[in-house]
Amino acid sequence: MENKATIQEFNRFLSIHEQLYLQTLKLLKDVPDEVFKSTPIDNDVMYLGTRVNTINIGGLIRHFVLAEIHWFQAMKEGENGLPIPKPDNASLLENIADGKELVEKYKEVFPKGFEILKSYTEEDLNKTVSFMGRTYSVMAFLWITFGHHSYHLGQVDMLMRQNGIYPAEYMEWPNTSTLIG
């Protein structure tokens, strides 16, 4: 039996996706500019692999700015079966420094991506895309993007803690006035 995405599921995704964005901003509000370039502690206990040991908060936020809107636009505009290309929108970050300036760029780009998402139809959600050798429905890939963002927020949390900053609690979602999802 084929599992078709519904507008109801998509609306849940939109609600939770928006909360994740607000949570990201809440997490970043207390990060001093100099901590955006901080990398993970490198020792035997904290070794996270060569690629992970080179990440920093600034790089992760740059990744949010470039990847998410790119994925949302590519899936909206692409034909069924689209292999999602690598982002080619690096110009969004020209002349943007780490720190608060980068967070401001994220605040500028997120609503544009959210508007693209809100234009999706049920037909869009049920198209297929391929990414990194795997095939997904658009709806499934949207959930993948949510997990991807959450994974990177965990890295931001770790980097903040290593720099003596106690981050906001993850599940204390900013919106307390409505049902989430």
Side-chain angles (χ1 to χ4, degrees):
M1 177 162 86
E2 195 171 335
N3 188 13
K4 293 280 189 182
T6 65
I7 293 299
Q8 183 179 12
E9 177 186 9
F10 180 59
N11 286 334
R12 279 190 197 106
F13 169 81
L14 288 176
S15 173
I16 294 170
H17 176 69
E18 183 177 37
Q19 288 303 300
L20 187 62
Y21 163 71
L22 295 172
Q23 181 66 22
T24 302
L25 295 180
K26 186 176 177 183
L27 197 64
L28 295 171
K29 76 176 180 52
D30 295 325
V31 178
D33 284 351
E34 64 274 8
V35 174
F36 276 78
K37 293 182 180 181
S38 174
T39 56
I41 293 170
D42 189 15
N43 63 36
D44 291 340
V45 176
M46 285 300 298
Y47 183 73
L48 303 170
T50 55
R51 191 172 131 214
V52 176
N53 272 6
T54 62
I55 64 162
N56 61 43
I57 294 172
L60 293 167
I61 304 311
R62 281 181 165 74
H63 186 50
F64 291 160
V65 168
L66 298 178
E68 292 176 357
I69 193 168
H70 166 75
W71 291 335
F72 302 156
Q73 188 71 44
M75 290 188 294
K76 175 65 180 171
E77 294 175 352
E79 298 294 324
N80 191 44
L82 167 80
I84 297 176
K86 289 184 178 182
D88 61 356
N89 55 355
S91 62
L92 286 173
L93 293 173
E94 284 180 1
N95 303 314
I96 300 293
D98 277 328
K100 303 301 180 208
E101 194 174 328
L102 187 55
V103 174
E104 290 305 312
K105 179 53 87 169
Y106 182 52
K107 289 179 184 178
E108 177 187 316
V109 171
F110 177 86
K112 294 174 183 175
F114 201 64
E115 285 304 310
I116 294 167
L117 283 173
K118 290 192 304 187
S119 74
Y120 278 34
T121 64
E122 201 163 334
E123 183 179 334
D124 292 326
L125 298 172
N126 287 295
K127 290 189 292 190
T128 61
V129 294
S130 62
F131 185 75
M132 306 278 298
R134 292 183 175 82
T135 301
Y136 304 90
S137 70
V138 167
M139 187 70 247
F141 194 75
L142 289 175
W143 285 116
I144 296 295
T145 67
F146 182 86
H148 174 261
H149 191 112
S150 297
Y151 171 77
H152 288 316
L153 278 188
Q155 293 171 323
V156 170
D157 181 284
M158 175 192 66
L159 290 163
M160 289 174 67
R161 290 172 191 272
Q162 288 182 359
N163 282 280
I165 303 166
Y166 187 76
E169 289 296 323
Y170 176 71
M171 293 305 292
E172 291 180 9
W173 298 103
N175 180 352
T176 59
S177 62
T178 62
L179 175 66
I180 298 171

